[in-house]
Amino acid sequence: MKKKLVSCLISFTLLSSLSTPLLAKAQENTEDIKGSLVIAGGGIGTSNHEIYEKFLSLAGGKEKAKVGIIPAASTTLQSSKKFKEDLVKYGANSDSIKILPVSNHDFSDTQKDESTWKNQVNDKKLSRTIKGLTAVWFVGGDQTKIVDSLRQNNGSDSEALKAIWDIYRKGAVIGGTSAGAAIMSDVMITGGDSLGALKDSLENKENKHVSKNQRSQKEYEPLSIQKGLGFFQHGIIDQHMDERARLGRLAVAAYTSERDKEKNFAYGVDEDTAMVVNNKDQKIEVVGRSGVAVLDMSKAELVSKQKARSGLENIKVSYLSPGDKINYHLKSFEFPKERVETKGFEYYSFNALPATGVFTPYGRLKAYLSYSLVDNESMKSAKSYVYDSKGSGYEIAFQKDNDTNGYWRYTDGQKDDYSIVNVKMDITPKTFKFQPDRKTSLTYKKPTFSSSESPAYDSIKGNLLIAGGALGSSNSSLYNKFINLAGGKQAKIGIVPAASTKFDSSNQFKSDLIKYGVKAENIEILPISNHDFKGTSENESTWKTNMNSDKLAQKVKGLTGIWFVGGDQTLITGSLRNENGSNSKVLQAIWHTYKNGAVLGGTSAGAAIMSNTMLAGGDSYGALSYGFTNTYDDMNQQEGGPAYLEKGLGFFQYGLVDQHFDNKARLGRLIAIAYEKGNKNQLSYGIDEDTAMVVNNKEKQIEVVGRGGITLVDLAKVQANDKFPSDYKNILISCITPGDKVNLTTKEIVINPAKTSTRKNEYYSEKVGPNTGLFSPHGVLRKFLAYDLVDNAQSKEIKSYAFNQNKGFELTFRKSAESNGYWAYTDGQKDDYSIVKVALDIKPIDVDIR
């Protein structure tokens, strides 16, 4: 089935020295290396052309590259064969790519016994083969198997490893992903998670061996290290950084390495991302789709806080993005010219909540530091937590310092892309106690909003494409779907710019449509707005009268597709409804085209307007704690606080729609609104970023298109406490991904047949702790439910918390009788899960942190 890292679980204390013979420097003389490194954090998508093309370029180019793939880390040859296929797809010669016979174990998907390969690592023929290569690639799996396969029993280098070093010195590129990244540094991290590293090292426990069976009974895994292959001599490298939240374990590993602490940065590479090391220039370039965390431990201090427990202070955290460069010799950064500094020009100004679990907006590290701290003028510091089910853990405090800065730009169309430098991080031991809230002091207000039902149209011939925001220009499946529904390359498309304050997003979407084949003359930005746009000579606020223009209404009736850009959804409804709430002539025309076959699409705000009740403000914690408000405060209301509702345009007739669902963690607000204002016989839909829900009105069916997922909330069996707000039992949660479908009337979920059921076939069997914030693995809801619950034989239920100061909520996700998970690889060898009918209970709690 899936790959799984099998770690050597030998823990060590904080005071352990890494200068022992086990961790001695792999190669003393590294000054003359002409080769390069491509160190990928795992989960590389086949579509990630930046990494593949960079690797082949450094290997001598597509036509000259001669690549050897080392399969040793994996239990099968599948990943090695797949990587070869991908290289061929990107132009490499198949005959010039070899899977090298390097392994210390048999592979489960072959007839041969590859364990005999261990005896070939000193074979002259293999060494000659390696010396004829221009590149070597290490696939993912278990990093200890790579080292054991290439080193002899006495710890010395095999002839094969010497040959790899020889071509690396002369100019070859060495690359690897996941385990193949872990082996790159001298100090090789072989196991552990952030909580385990902190508890096992900072609580001064005695060294002890932890068996695999013992690990399965613990909620956390202590840090373990071995000697790596040392191709990168300038700091410790960790991988799967964002997905598995490993910043804490990297910090502990770096602090305990005296040689690395003063001299070098420590690096954590995100999935689908690589750090490309140029030894000649002594620089690292970030390539791919996410980022590289960089830790400066040179001023870090161990501070005693509680009896037998210590913390770490004065760590500097930076997070670099694609296109950024690191001078590892000078310990400095370089950013592309198009990046804009945020210091003194912060875009956001809202009170960000602490990162406490899966209800936290921007709940991944880089996003949280970007939106909630560095690009937020209201915030000087922010907090997160990590702890076990007994409440023993740590507070992680992030603070702006004098040298803290952020760098922003758009990427892949109009996705926010941030780089962050020098955020101060302190880790302090704390204990946490959660008790049921018997008498809440929070003032929960019921909604007074009442939306008259839109007329139901059974004869709608058109379709909807409702995107969750942050739509990438490269998202070909989504663009092509919209264009095909609009009639193909001859489509006539109108873009409604009203939600935005500038024309950038409308111009970008037009440019993208042209890129995907629509004729420029068939695309028009419609003069629909109730406000002026920045950067133009015209006063577009005068367009407000256009909503009742007969000429514009007639033009709209001739369109085959209409697109609503993102921004503020209330500006769309304000530009298309008369002051008395009635539909303008242009809105009537949009309905006419829709009923007669046109496709209506929109992203972000353009998605929010699709349902009859429009979700216009609030966050999960605010909606559950405070209920609803009748006032709207623009950005502040979009980023947090109680829920705010207005009447939407009602094109989607089968329930509520919410957007930015994964990035802004809006499950709690969707539940609160669905319970108060939704039809409990209908599903409610939360759409992730860079993803769309495609509505087929004729078939009464939706399908998922894009790169993320859609969360389905079913309140048909919910039990609520009428005397205590936001006290719910038996909410059913499903998460579906591209290729999955849902019947809008029966609520039947049809999973992509390529996926395999996990029920009674769970891949994992581990005890897991609560999801607590930025140091908890699998911070996105769908992945948390997948890895920790539905595909985990030991888990019957899992918990997360949402709180601010001393009030909050305990979230218990349970396997129900109907629960199931479905798994497949997607985009190469990325895990892709769908989750069906997990039960969720929400309980108000009092929180005590000491």
Side-chain angles (χ1 to χ4, degrees):
M1 196 179 171
K2 299 168 286 250
K3 295 182 298 178
K4 183 180 178 183
L5 297 178
V6 181
S7 301
C8 178
L9 303 173
I10 302 175
S11 65
F12 66 102
T13 69
L14 183 68
L15 301 179
S16 296
S17 171
L18 300 190
S19 60
T20 61
L22 170 68
L23 299 172
K25 210 170 180 181
Q27 296 283 329
E28 290 298 330
N29 181 13
T30 60
E31 299 300 321
D32 60 343
I33 295 175
K34 298 178 181 178
S36 302
L37 299 171
V38 176
I39 305 173
I44 302 177
T46 298
S47 62
N48 194 329
H49 64 90
E50 293 92 348
I51 291 179
Y52 282 99
E53 290 175 356
K54 176 65 76 171
F55 180 71
L56 286 173
S57 174
L58 292 171
K62 298 175 182 178
E63 296 180 357
K64 296 181 179 180
K66 296 180 180 180
V67 183
I69 301 172
I70 294 182
S74 185
T75 57
T76 70
L77 285 179
Q78 180 181 2
S79 53
S80 298
K81 292 176 180 178
K82 186 67 176 67
F83 187 72
K84 179 175 180 177
E85 290 175 9
D86 289 341
L87 291 177
V88 172
K89 173 186 173 182
Y90 282 98
N93 187 334
S94 179
D95 294 336
S96 298
I97 306 170
K98 302 180 185 299
I99 298 176
L100 301 176
V102 176
S103 176
N104 67 349
H105 61 280
D106 189 23
F107 292 98
S108 62
D109 58 347
T110 68
Q111 298 298 318
K112 296 180 181 179
D113 181 5
E114 289 84 6
S115 64
T116 60
W117 286 358
K118 172 68 175 176
N119 301 321
Q120 298 183 37
V121 291
N122 290 310
D123 185 83
K124 292 182 179 180
K125 182 179 178 181
L126 176 58
S127 294
R128 285 196 299 269
T129 298
I130 292 172
K131 288 181 179 180
L133 301 174
T134 62
V136 173
W137 183 267
F138 295 88
V139 301
D142 179 354
Q143 47 266 50
T144 64
K145 291 179 179 178
I146 300 175
V147 174
D148 185 60
S149 298
L150 284 170
R151 284 219 173 95
Q152 301 186 85
N153 293 336
N154 63 2
S156 62
D157 292 355
S158 65
E159 293 301 315
L161 182 53
K162 290 176 182 177
I164 294 171
W165 267 101
D166 182 62
I167 63 171
Y168 177 42
R169 290 183 185 280
K170 292 177 179 178
V173 58
I174 310 296
T177 183
S178 186
I183 55 98
M184 293 288 181
S185 51
D186 259 352
V187 177
M188 180 176 75
I189 301 176
T190 59
D193 53 38
S194 286
L195 180 58
L198 292 168
K199 287 182 70 65
D200 193 68
S201 296
L202 301 189
E203 294 181 11
N204 297 325
K205 294 182 178 180
E206 295 181 359
N207 287 350
K208 58 184 178 181
H209 180 76
V210 182
S211 70
K212 182 179 179 181
N213 182 60
Q214 285 173 313
R215 164 65 187 100
S216 69
Q217 301 303 315
K218 296 187 71 174
E219 297 175 359
Y220 50 85
E221 180 183 349
L223 177 65
S224 56
I225 59 169
Q226 287 188 16
K227 178 182 176 182
L229 298 185
F231 299 120
F232 181 70
Q233 288 283 309
H234 308 284
I236 299 174
I237 291 170
D238 207 348
Q239 14 78 46
H240 297 283
M241 179 57 53
D242 58 342
E243 174 60 38
R244 301 184 190 179
R246 287 175 165 170
L247 192 71
R249 88 167 189 179
L250 179 60
V252 172
Y255 184 82
T256 54
S257 176
E258 293 300 322
R259 179 169 67 83
D260 286 307
K261 176 184 172 184
E262 300 295 336
K263 181 179 177 182
N264 298 313
F265 285 146
Y267 304 87
V269 190
D270 288 350
E271 294 186 353
D272 219 5
T273 307
M275 50 184 277
V276 178
V277 182
N278 184 317
N279 286 296
K280 182 179 179 181
D281 293 343
Q282 297 185 323
K283 289 183 180 180
I284 297 167
E285 180 182 4
V286 182
V287 175
R289 289 183 174 149
S290 189
V292 174
V294 182
L295 289 183
D296 184 348
M297 305 295 295
S298 60
K299 297 181 181 179
E301 298 175 320
L302 179 67
V303 181
S304 296
K305 294 291 185 180
Q306 294 182 3
K307 185 178 181 180
R309 301 183 72 196
S310 299
L312 284 173
E313 293 185 348
N314 296 321
I315 301 167
K316 284 295 183 75
V317 179
S318 300
Y319 228 115
L320 283 291
S321 295
D324 299 342
K325 293 184 179 180
I326 306 163
N327 187 317
Y328 56 77
H329 179 64
L330 298 176
K331 296 180 74 173
S332 62
F333 306 116
E334 298 176 14
F335 302 100
K337 292 181 180 179
E338 60 268 27
R339 287 201 184 276
V340 178
E341 290 189 42
T342 63
K343 191 172 185 177
F345 304 95
E346 291 84 357
Y347 180 78
Y348 293 94
S349 180
F350 66 93
N351 183 26
L353 295 175
T356 59
V358 294
F359 274 14
T360 300
Y362 313 115
R364 282 185 156 176
L365 182 66
K366 186 171 76 162
Y368 185 78
L369 294 181
S370 299
Y371 294 101
S372 298
L373 182 63
V374 175
D375 200 18
N376 190 337
E377 66 177 359
S378 296
M379 299 291 290
K380 303 301 180 186
S381 62
K383 293 180 180 179
S384 186
Y385 307 93
V386 63
Y387 44 86
D388 60 23
S389 59
K390 295 180 180 179
S392 175
Y394 298 85
E395 175 186 88
I396 303 101
F398 300 97
Q399 184 175 329
K400 288 179 181 175
D401 218 336
N402 292 332
D403 55 351
T404 302
N405 208 342
Y407 298 85
W408 170 90
R409 69 175 176 182
Y410 279 135
T411 185
D412 191 16
Q414 285 199 307
K415 293 182 179 179
D416 286 331
D417 183 36
Y418 282 96
S419 301
I420 300 158
V421 296
N422 296 323
V423 170
K424 182 175 178 287
M425 180 174 74
D426 299 332
I427 302 172
T428 306
K430 297 284 185 180
T431 55
F432 301 80
K433 188 174 182 180
F434 304 108
Q435 292 183 319
D437 187 354
R438 303 299 183 189
K439 187 177 181 181
T440 184
S441 60
L442 301 176
T443 304
Y444 182 94
K445 294 182 178 179
K446 289 275 192 178
T448 58
F449 168 80
S450 178
S451 176
S452 58
E453 290 295 322
S454 291
Y457 296 101
D458 292 330
S459 60
I460 294 176
K461 298 177 182 178
N463 301 292
L464 299 171
L465 191 148
I466 308 173
L471 174 58
S473 296
S474 63
N475 195 332
S476 58
S477 60
L478 199 153
Y479 277 97
N480 287 329
K481 189 71 172 182
F482 180 73
I483 292 168
N484 289 337
L485 290 173
K489 303 294 176 66
Q490 304 302 315
K492 296 181 179 180
I493 297 172
I495 301 171
V496 178
S500 186
T501 57
K502 300 185 293 185
F503 280 111
D504 291 6
S505 52
S506 298
N507 290 329
Q508 179 67 55
F509 189 73
K510 179 176 180 178
S511 175
D512 290 340
L513 290 175
I514 295 170
K515 168 186 167 183
Y516 285 101
V518 180
K519 294 180 180 179
E521 59 268 26
N522 287 356
I523 309 168
E524 183 174 351
I525 298 174
L526 302 174
I528 297 173
S529 176
N530 64 353
H531 60 280
D532 192 23
F533 285 82
K534 298 175 183 178
T536 68
S537 57
E538 185 176 355
N539 181 4
E540 288 83 9
S541 63
T542 60
W543 287 0
K544 186 169 183 177
T545 59
N546 289 347
M547 71 170 72
N548 287 305
S549 164
D550 291 322
K551 182 179 179 180
L552 183 56
Q554 196 62 36
K555 179 180 289 185
V556 166
K557 289 181 179 180
L559 300 174
T560 60
I562 298 171
W563 184 265
F564 298 86
V565 301
D568 182 342
Q569 47 265 51
T570 65
L571 297 177
I572 300 176
T573 54
S575 301
L576 286 172
R577 280 220 174 89
N578 296 312
E579 291 185 4
N580 63 2
S582 63
N583 291 354
S584 67
K585 291 182 179 180
V586 170
L587 183 52
Q588 292 173 29
I590 293 172
W591 268 103
H592 174 85
T593 60
Y594 175 43
K595 286 190 288 183
N596 284 280
V599 58
L600 306 184
T603 183
S604 186
I609 53 100
M610 292 291 180
S611 48
N612 192 51
T613 297
M614 182 173 75
L615 286 63
D619 69 346
S620 288
Y621 180 81
L624 291 170
S625 299
Y626 306 109
F628 297 79
T629 180
N630 293 324
T631 60
Y632 183 66
D633 187 17
D634 193 29
M635 180 193 294
N636 283 331
Q637 200 64 29
Q638 291 190 39
E639 296 299 330
Y644 175 73
L645 304 176
E646 284 195 8
K647 181 175 173 60
L649 299 185
F651 301 125
F652 180 65
Q653 311 234 324
Y654 301 96
L656 299 172
V657 171
D658 207 347
Q659 18 75 47
H660 295 284
F661 208 71
D662 52 350
N663 201 31
K664 298 194 178 183
R666 285 174 165 169
L667 177 62
R669 103 165 176 179
L670 183 58
I671 289 169
I673 296 170
Y675 181 79
E676 298 286 1
K677 300 303 298 181
N679 180 339
K680 294 180 179 58
N681 293 317
Q682 295 178 328
L683 297 174
S684 296
Y685 304 83
I687 308 172
D688 288 351
E689 293 185 346
D690 216 7
T691 308
M693 181 170 85
V694 179
V695 181
N696 184 319
N697 283 297
K698 181 179 179 181
E699 301 292 334
K700 293 183 172 54
Q701 179 179 266
I702 69 162
E703 64 174 317
V704 187
V705 175
R707 292 178 174 146
I710 296 174
T711 300
L712 312 174
V713 175
D714 188 347
L715 298 183
K717 299 178 180 179
V718 70
Q719 301 170 29
N721 184 347
D722 292 334
K723 297 180 180 179
F724 210 99
S726 301
D727 188 348
Y728 300 111
K729 291 183 178 179
N730 212 35
I731 301 164
L732 291 181
I733 306 294
S734 301
C735 302
I736 56 176
T737 58
D740 299 338
K741 299 178 181 180
V742 180
N743 185 295
L744 290 164
T745 53
T746 66
K747 301 192 290 189
E748 179 187 5
I749 300 171
V750 180
I751 300 297
N752 184 337
K755 293 178 180 174
T756 303
S757 171
T758 65
R759 188 163 186 168
K760 296 183 179 180
N761 189 35
E762 291 86 356
Y763 183 74
Y764 300 95
S765 182
E766 297 178 351
K767 189 174 182 180
V768 296
N771 187 290
T772 60
L774 303 180
F775 278 15
S776 288
H778 317 307
V780 175
L781 176 69
R782 174 164 50 93
K783 294 188 176 183
F784 173 55
L785 297 181
Y787 290 103
D788 287 357
L789 183 63
V790 298
D791 203 15
N792 188 345
Q794 272 201 56
S795 288
K796 304 302 180 187
E797 65 179 37
I798 54 177
K799 294 183 184 293
S800 183
Y801 295 88
F803 58 87
N804 185 27
Q805 296 179 341
N806 64 343
K807 292 290 181 182
F809 301 92
E810 179 184 74
L811 318 173
T812 304
F813 297 91
R814 298 180 284 106
K815 287 177 179 174
S816 71
E818 301 171 286
S819 295
N820 205 344
Y822 299 87
W823 170 89
Y825 277 136
T826 185
D827 190 17
Q829 289 193 307
K830 294 181 178 180
D831 288 331
D832 180 33
Y833 282 98
S834 299
I835 296 140
V836 173
K837 295 184 178 180
V838 166
L840 167 62
D841 301 334
I842 300 176
K843 180 172 68 176
I845 55 172
D846 288 320
V847 182
D848 183 18
I849 303 175
R850 296 184 182 181

